[in-house]
Amino acid sequence: RDNLAKGYYSVYPLGAPAGAGTSPNLRVVTLNSVIFNPNYGGFTGTCVSPSVRQDDANGQIEWLRGELQAARDAGHKVLIAMHVPPGVNGYGSWHNPDAIVTNWKRKLDYTGSDAKLAIYRGQWVQKVYLQLVAEYADEIVGTLSSHTHLNGIRRLRDCSGKMTELDLSIPAVTTDHGSNPALKLFSYDSGFELTGNNTHYASEATGKDWVPANVFSFADNYPCARCQSGDNLIKRVAALSSDALLGGMMKFLTVGRSQTNSLRHYKRALDVECELPPLSTIGN
């Protein structure tokens, strides 16, 4: 709770841990990823100086590593939740739709003094985050984000290119980004690995009609003939080609609304990687 004023914290939604040696507990680590976004401070109309942005970014990365290590030490599982996901913005730039822009500021590196993160000093915060996700993959059961308001998916990759986790975008209740009002309900196994979700939505015209018929599952969204009953979400996604994932994402991106978005950069946004997009494009 020490960092509530800066918007990041962790919680035990299923109750406080019973103590060492007990069954695994679920820790939800909530990041304020707006700190990593180019518009940090701009959403409230206030100015954030470069030094404050840098200090806040360093502090949050260091706190995240500490949370992940504490979960490992206690034998707990971690679900990471945030607003702005890492990776490429599928919309593109509002000023130049052809440009590839990243959700996390491209020129923001980790410059902190945590000895445990010394090997990452001078690296882009997204690269540091992806390496931490890979390092603590046994503890992390998934990541959730929002920001786009749409029903997207991202494969998180380590610096060797291996998929380590999924980021699932939660569609919004509001409709101002062109989607139906929606919410997701997740299922998980005894180890808290995500095994499925149902996306419930309402009428695009009225925002009402939350009826049982207005729902689709993860399997509906991403059908997988090779998958086995009981496979968790990361196994299901690993069994699908990039084209199949992109097709499923675009089909349900606006949660059943008749309005459709152009592809723009959604194919490029499907994978979150350690390296920057080509510097010949407009960045942030």
CSV table of all heavy atoms in Angstrom, one decimal, residues 114-148:
chain,number,residue,atom,x,y,z
A,114,ASP,N,18.9,-0.5,-8.0
A,114,ASP,CA,18.6,-1.7,-7.4
A,114,ASP,C,19.6,-2.8,-7.8
A,114,ASP,O,19.7,-3.0,-9.0
A,114,ASP,CB,17.2,-2.2,-7.7
A,114,ASP,CG,16.8,-3.5,-7.0
A,114,ASP,OD1,17.6,-4.2,-6.5
A,114,ASP,OD2,15.5,-3.7,-6.9
A,115,ALA,N,20.4,-3.3,-6.9
A,115,ALA,CA,21.5,-4.2,-7.3
A,115,ALA,C,20.9,-5.5,-8.0
A,115,ALA,O,21.6,-6.0,-8.8
A,115,ALA,CB,22.2,-4.7,-6.0
A,116,LYS,N,19.7,-5.9,-7.7
A,116,LYS,CA,19.1,-7.0,-8.3
A,116,LYS,C,18.7,-6.7,-9.8
A,116,LYS,O,18.5,-7.7,-10.5
A,116,LYS,CB,17.8,-7.4,-7.5
A,116,LYS,CG,18.0,-7.8,-6.1
A,116,LYS,CD,18.8,-9.1,-6.0
A,116,LYS,CE,18.8,-9.6,-4.5
A,116,LYS,NZ,19.6,-10.8,-4.3
A,117,LEU,N,18.7,-5.5,-10.1
A,117,LEU,CA,18.3,-5.1,-11.5
A,117,LEU,C,19.5,-4.5,-12.2
A,117,LEU,O,19.4,-3.9,-13.3
A,117,LEU,CB,17.2,-4.1,-11.5
A,117,LEU,CG,15.8,-4.6,-11.0
A,117,LEU,CD1,14.8,-3.5,-10.9
A,117,LEU,CD2,15.3,-5.7,-11.9
A,118,ALA,N,20.7,-4.6,-11.7
A,118,ALA,CA,21.9,-4.0,-12.3
A,118,ALA,C,22.1,-4.4,-13.7
A,118,ALA,O,22.6,-3.6,-14.5
A,118,ALA,CB,23.1,-4.3,-11.4
A,119,ILE,N,21.8,-5.7,-14.0
A,119,ILE,CA,22.1,-6.1,-15.4
A,119,ILE,C,21.1,-5.5,-16.4
A,119,ILE,O,21.3,-5.6,-17.6
A,119,ILE,CB,21.9,-7.7,-15.5
A,119,ILE,CG1,20.5,-8.1,-15.1
A,119,ILE,CG2,23.0,-8.4,-14.7
A,119,ILE,CD1,20.3,-9.6,-15.3
A,120,TYR,N,20.0,-4.9,-15.9
A,120,TYR,CA,19.1,-4.2,-16.8
A,120,TYR,C,19.3,-2.7,-16.9
A,120,TYR,O,18.5,-2.1,-17.7
A,120,TYR,CB,17.6,-4.5,-16.3
A,120,TYR,CG,17.3,-6.0,-16.2
A,120,TYR,CD1,16.6,-6.5,-15.1
A,120,TYR,CD2,17.7,-6.9,-17.2
A,120,TYR,CE1,16.3,-7.8,-15.0
A,120,TYR,CE2,17.4,-8.2,-17.1
A,120,TYR,CZ,16.7,-8.7,-16.0
A,120,TYR,OH,16.4,-10.0,-15.9
A,121,ARG,N,20.2,-2.2,-16.2
A,121,ARG,CA,20.4,-0.7,-16.2
A,121,ARG,C,20.7,-0.2,-17.6
A,121,ARG,O,21.5,-0.8,-18.3
A,121,ARG,CB,21.5,-0.3,-15.2
A,121,ARG,CG,21.6,1.2,-15.0
A,121,ARG,CD,22.7,1.5,-14.0
A,121,ARG,NE,22.9,2.9,-14.0
A,121,ARG,CZ,22.2,3.8,-13.3
A,121,ARG,NH1,21.2,3.4,-12.6
A,121,ARG,NH2,22.5,5.1,-13.3
A,122,GLY,N,20.0,0.8,-18.0
A,122,GLY,CA,20.2,1.4,-19.3
A,122,GLY,C,19.3,0.8,-20.4
A,122,GLY,O,19.4,1.2,-21.5
A,123,GLN,N,18.5,-0.2,-20.0
A,123,GLN,CA,17.6,-0.8,-21.0
A,123,GLN,C,16.2,-0.2,-20.9
A,123,GLN,O,15.7,0.2,-19.9
A,123,GLN,CB,17.5,-2.4,-20.7
A,123,GLN,CG,18.8,-3.1,-20.9
A,123,GLN,CD,18.7,-4.6,-20.6
A,123,GLN,OE1,17.6,-5.1,-20.6
A,123,GLN,NE2,19.9,-5.2,-20.5
A,124,TRP,N,15.5,-0.3,-22.1
A,124,TRP,CA,14.2,0.2,-22.2
A,124,TRP,C,13.3,-0.5,-21.2
A,124,TRP,O,13.4,-1.7,-20.9
A,124,TRP,CB,13.7,-0.1,-23.6
A,124,TRP,CG,12.3,0.4,-24.0
A,124,TRP,CD1,11.6,1.5,-23.5
A,124,TRP,CD2,11.5,-0.1,-25.0
A,124,TRP,NE1,10.4,1.6,-24.1
A,124,TRP,CE2,10.3,0.7,-25.0
A,124,TRP,CE3,11.6,-1.2,-25.9
A,124,TRP,CZ2,9.3,0.4,-25.9
A,124,TRP,CZ3,10.6,-1.4,-26.8
A,124,TRP,CH2,9.4,-0.6,-26.8
A,125,VAL,N,12.4,0.3,-20.5
A,125,VAL,CA,11.5,-0.3,-19.5
A,125,VAL,C,10.7,-1.4,-20.0
A,125,VAL,O,10.4,-2.4,-19.2
A,125,VAL,CB,10.6,0.8,-18.8
A,125,VAL,CG1,11.4,1.8,-18.0
A,125,VAL,CG2,9.8,1.5,-19.9
A,126,GLN,N,10.3,-1.4,-21.2
A,126,GLN,CA,9.5,-2.5,-21.8
A,126,GLN,C,10.4,-3.8,-21.8
A,126,GLN,O,9.9,-4.9,-21.5
A,126,GLN,CB,8.9,-2.2,-23.2
A,126,GLN,CG,8.2,-3.4,-23.8
A,126,GLN,CD,7.5,-3.1,-25.0
A,126,GLN,OE1,6.6,-2.2,-25.0
A,126,GLN,NE2,7.8,-3.7,-26.2
A,127,LYS,N,11.6,-3.6,-22.2
A,127,LYS,CA,12.6,-4.8,-22.3
A,127,LYS,C,12.8,-5.3,-20.9
A,127,LYS,O,12.8,-6.5,-20.7
A,127,LYS,CB,13.9,-4.3,-22.9
A,127,LYS,CG,14.9,-5.4,-23.1
A,127,LYS,CD,16.1,-4.9,-23.9
A,127,LYS,CE,17.1,-6.0,-24.1
A,127,LYS,NZ,18.3,-5.6,-24.9
A,128,VAL,N,12.9,-4.4,-19.9
A,128,VAL,CA,13.1,-4.9,-18.5
A,128,VAL,C,11.9,-5.6,-18.0
A,128,VAL,O,12.0,-6.7,-17.4
A,128,VAL,CB,13.4,-3.7,-17.6
A,128,VAL,CG1,13.6,-4.2,-16.1
A,128,VAL,CG2,14.7,-3.0,-18.0
A,129,TYR,N,10.7,-5.1,-18.3
A,129,TYR,CA,9.5,-5.7,-17.9
A,129,TYR,C,9.4,-7.1,-18.5
A,129,TYR,O,9.0,-8.1,-17.8
A,129,TYR,CB,8.3,-4.9,-18.3
A,129,TYR,CG,6.9,-5.5,-18.1
A,129,TYR,CD1,6.4,-5.7,-16.8
A,129,TYR,CD2,6.2,-6.1,-19.2
A,129,TYR,CE1,5.2,-6.3,-16.7
A,129,TYR,CE2,5.0,-6.7,-19.0
A,129,TYR,CZ,4.5,-6.8,-17.7
A,129,TYR,OH,3.3,-7.4,-17.5
A,130,LEU,N,9.6,-7.3,-19.8
A,130,LEU,CA,9.5,-8.6,-20.5
A,130,LEU,C,10.5,-9.6,-19.9
A,130,LEU,O,10.2,-10.8,-19.8
A,130,LEU,CB,9.7,-8.4,-22.0
A,130,LEU,CG,8.6,-7.7,-22.7
A,130,LEU,CD1,9.0,-7.5,-24.2
A,130,LEU,CD2,7.3,-8.4,-22.6
A,131,GLN,N,11.7,-9.1,-19.5
A,131,GLN,CA,12.7,-10.0,-18.9
A,131,GLN,C,12.3,-10.5,-17.5
A,131,GLN,O,12.5,-11.6,-17.1
A,131,GLN,CB,14.1,-9.4,-18.9
A,131,GLN,CG,14.6,-9.2,-20.3
A,131,GLN,CD,15.9,-8.5,-20.4
A,131,GLN,OE1,17.0,-9.1,-20.6
A,131,GLN,NE2,15.9,-7.2,-20.2
A,132,LEU,N,11.6,-9.6,-16.8
A,132,LEU,CA,11.1,-9.9,-15.5
A,132,LEU,C,10.0,-10.9,-15.6
A,132,LEU,O,9.9,-11.9,-14.8
A,132,LEU,CB,10.7,-8.7,-14.7
A,132,LEU,CG,11.8,-7.8,-14.2
A,132,LEU,CD1,11.1,-6.5,-13.5
A,132,LEU,CD2,12.6,-8.5,-13.1
A,133,VAL,N,9.1,-10.7,-16.6
A,133,VAL,CA,8.0,-11.7,-16.8
A,133,VAL,C,8.6,-13.1,-17.1
A,133,VAL,O,8.1,-14.1,-16.6
A,133,VAL,CB,7.1,-11.2,-17.9
A,133,VAL,CG1,6.1,-12.3,-18.3
A,133,VAL,CG2,6.3,-9.9,-17.5
A,134,ALA,N,9.6,-13.1,-17.9
A,134,ALA,CA,10.2,-14.4,-18.3
A,134,ALA,C,10.9,-15.0,-17.1
A,134,ALA,O,10.8,-16.2,-16.9
A,134,ALA,CB,11.3,-14.1,-19.4
A,135,GLU,N,11.6,-14.2,-16.3
A,135,GLU,CA,12.3,-14.7,-15.1
A,135,GLU,C,11.4,-15.3,-14.1
A,135,GLU,O,11.7,-16.3,-13.4
A,135,GLU,CB,13.1,-13.6,-14.5
A,135,GLU,CG,13.9,-14.0,-13.3
A,135,GLU,CD,14.8,-12.9,-12.7
A,135,GLU,OE1,14.9,-11.8,-13.3
A,135,GLU,OE2,15.3,-13.1,-11.5
A,136,TYR,N,10.2,-14.7,-14.0
A,136,TYR,CA,9.2,-15.2,-13.0
A,136,TYR,C,8.0,-15.8,-13.6
A,136,TYR,O,6.9,-15.8,-13.1
A,136,TYR,CB,8.8,-14.0,-12.1
A,136,TYR,CG,9.9,-13.5,-11.2
A,136,TYR,CD1,10.7,-12.4,-11.6
A,136,TYR,CD2,10.1,-14.1,-9.9
A,136,TYR,CE1,11.7,-12.0,-10.8
A,136,TYR,CE2,11.1,-13.6,-9.1
A,136,TYR,CZ,11.9,-12.6,-9.5
A,136,TYR,OH,12.9,-12.1,-8.7
A,137,ALA,N,8.2,-16.5,-14.8
A,137,ALA,CA,7.1,-17.1,-15.5
A,137,ALA,C,6.4,-18.2,-14.7
A,137,ALA,O,5.2,-18.4,-14.9
A,137,ALA,CB,7.6,-17.7,-16.8
A,138,ASP,N,7.1,-18.9,-13.8
A,138,ASP,CA,6.5,-19.9,-13.0
A,138,ASP,C,5.5,-19.3,-12.0
A,138,ASP,O,4.6,-20.0,-11.6
A,138,ASP,CB,7.6,-20.7,-12.2
A,138,ASP,CG,8.4,-21.6,-13.2
A,138,ASP,OD1,8.0,-21.8,-14.3
A,138,ASP,OD2,9.5,-22.0,-12.7
A,139,GLU,N,5.7,-18.1,-11.6
A,139,GLU,CA,4.8,-17.5,-10.6
A,139,GLU,C,3.7,-16.7,-11.3
A,139,GLU,O,2.5,-16.7,-10.8
A,139,GLU,CB,5.6,-16.5,-9.8
A,139,GLU,CG,6.4,-17.1,-8.7
A,139,GLU,CD,7.7,-17.8,-9.2
A,139,GLU,OE1,8.3,-17.2,-10.2
A,139,GLU,OE2,8.0,-18.8,-8.7
A,140,ILE,N,3.9,-16.2,-12.5
A,140,ILE,CA,2.9,-15.4,-13.2
A,140,ILE,C,1.9,-16.2,-13.9
A,140,ILE,O,2.3,-17.1,-14.7
A,140,ILE,CB,3.6,-14.4,-14.1
A,140,ILE,CG1,4.5,-13.4,-13.4
A,140,ILE,CG2,2.5,-13.6,-14.9
A,140,ILE,CD1,5.3,-12.5,-14.3
A,141,VAL,N,0.6,-16.0,-13.7
A,141,VAL,CA,-0.4,-16.8,-14.3
A,141,VAL,C,-1.1,-16.1,-15.5
A,141,VAL,O,-1.9,-16.7,-16.2
A,141,VAL,CB,-1.5,-17.3,-13.3
A,141,VAL,CG1,-0.9,-18.2,-12.2
A,141,VAL,CG2,-2.2,-16.1,-12.6
A,142,GLY,N,-0.8,-14.8,-15.6
A,142,GLY,CA,-1.4,-14.1,-16.7
A,142,GLY,C,-1.3,-12.6,-16.5
A,142,GLY,O,-0.9,-12.1,-15.4
A,143,THR,N,-1.5,-11.8,-17.5
A,143,THR,CA,-1.6,-10.3,-17.4
A,143,THR,C,-2.8,-9.8,-18.1
A,143,THR,O,-3.2,-10.3,-19.1
A,143,THR,CB,-0.3,-9.6,-18.0
A,143,THR,OG1,-0.4,-9.6,-19.4
A,143,THR,CG2,1.0,-10.4,-17.5
A,144,LEU,N,-3.4,-8.8,-17.5
A,144,LEU,CA,-4.6,-8.1,-18.0
A,144,LEU,C,-4.4,-6.6,-18.2
A,144,LEU,O,-3.6,-6.0,-17.4
A,144,LEU,CB,-5.8,-8.3,-17.0
A,144,LEU,CG,-6.1,-9.7,-16.5
A,144,LEU,CD1,-7.2,-9.7,-15.4
A,144,LEU,CD2,-6.4,-10.6,-17.6
A,145,SER,N,-5.0,-6.1,-19.2
A,145,SER,CA,-4.8,-4.7,-19.5
A,145,SER,C,-6.2,-4.1,-20.0
A,145,SER,O,-7.1,-4.9,-20.2
A,145,SER,CB,-3.7,-4.4,-20.4
A,145,SER,OG,-4.0,-4.9,-21.7
A,146,SER,N,-6.2,-2.8,-20.3
A,146,SER,CA,-7.3,-2.2,-20.9
A,146,SER,C,-6.9,-1.2,-22.0
A,146,SER,O,-6.2,-1.5,-22.9
A,146,SER,CB,-8.2,-1.6,-19.8
A,146,SER,OG,-9.4,-1.0,-20.4
A,147,HIS,N,-7.2,0.1,-21.8
A,147,HIS,CA,-6.7,1.2,-22.5
A,147,HIS,C,-7.3,1.3,-23.9
A,147,HIS,O,-7.8,2.3,-24.3
A,147,HIS,CB,-5.1,1.1,-22.6
A,147,HIS,CG,-4.5,2.4,-23.2
A,147,HIS,ND1,-4.7,3.6,-22.7
A,147,HIS,CD2,-3.7,2.5,-24.3
A,147,HIS,CE1,-4.0,4.5,-23.5
A,147,HIS,NE2,-3.4,3.8,-24.5
A,148,THR,N,-7.2,0.2,-24.7
A,148,THR,CA,-7.7,0.2,-26.1
A,148,THR,C,-9.3,0.2,-26.1
A,148,THR,O,-9.9,0.6,-27.1
A,148,THR,CB,-7.2,-0.9,-26.9
A,148,THR,OG1,-7.8,-2.1,-26.4
A,148,THR,CG2,-5.7,-1.0,-26.9
